[in-house]
Amino acid sequence: MKQWLEDIVHRAGLHTKTNPDMDGSYSVITRLAIQELESWILGDFHAIHAVYSRVPETLGTHTKYKTPDNIGNTWESLHALLKKGGYCGDIYPKIEVARKVASHIDPHMNQSQSFQIFLQGLNTLLSSSSPST
């Protein structure tokens, strides 16, 4: 899938971080958020708690949640936490949860390494494309 995206970008005449121009510049970052989305949400228990107050924000200090990218079955883990808190039943409302929690995420405090890599890529891209002063 990522190679497919890289090929589309290349055919459009653009360069990616994975395949930069000869001088190292790029204008596109390709990232696939599959399990990462829930890892990114689980990376900020303060954000989860802000929306779902019965989910303890101290869970982020527990060994299982300290490295959210290593949890495995991330959406199932998040669903179980929300179900235990009484926020949902057997059906996990992925999009609703993502939309609600996203506005509370502190990007610089998020414990997900994949989120931090994504954020670094965005910051690099933005700083390289910003006009000089």
Side-chain angles (χ1 to χ4, degrees):
M1 171 76 83
K2 183 170 179 175
Q3 188 57 53
W4 177 73
L5 291 172
E6 291 281 332
D7 292 344
I8 291 171
V9 173
H10 179 72
R11 285 194 303 271
L14 301 171
H15 297 282
T16 66
K17 185 175 182 183
T18 305
N19 295 302
D21 197 359
M22 293 176 106
D23 66 359
S25 64
Y26 57 92
S27 57
V28 176
I29 299 172
T30 55
R31 295 285 186 262
L32 299 174
I34 299 168
Q35 275 197 315
E36 284 87 350
L37 185 58
E38 279 78 18
S39 293
W40 295 0
I41 293 170
L42 288 168
D44 191 339
F45 270 92
H46 297 292
I48 297 169
H49 180 75
V51 178
Y52 303 105
S53 61
R54 291 186 300 272
V55 175
E57 59 188 323
T58 55
L59 280 178
T61 63
H62 293 200
T63 303
K64 176 180 179 177
Y65 298 109
K66 280 189 175 183
T67 52
D69 296 299
N70 295 338
I71 291 173
N73 300 322
T74 53
W75 79 263
E76 291 93 339
S77 295
L78 185 54
H79 179 211
L81 290 171
L82 297 178
K83 190 174 179 179
K84 184 177 179 180
Y87 293 105
C88 60
D90 291 335
I91 297 174
Y92 170 56
K94 286 185 175 192
I95 295 171
E96 177 186 331
V97 171
R99 285 186 175 146
K100 285 182 175 181
V101 176
S103 64
H104 296 277
I105 289 177
D106 181 344
H108 302 288
M109 298 301 293
N110 194 294
Q111 294 181 46
S112 166
Q113 183 180 4
S114 64
F115 181 84
Q116 291 304 319
I117 290 169
F118 176 73
L119 185 61
Q120 283 176 333
L122 282 180
N123 287 332
T124 301
L125 184 61
L126 290 172
S127 66
S128 69
S129 66
S130 61
S132 304
T133 53

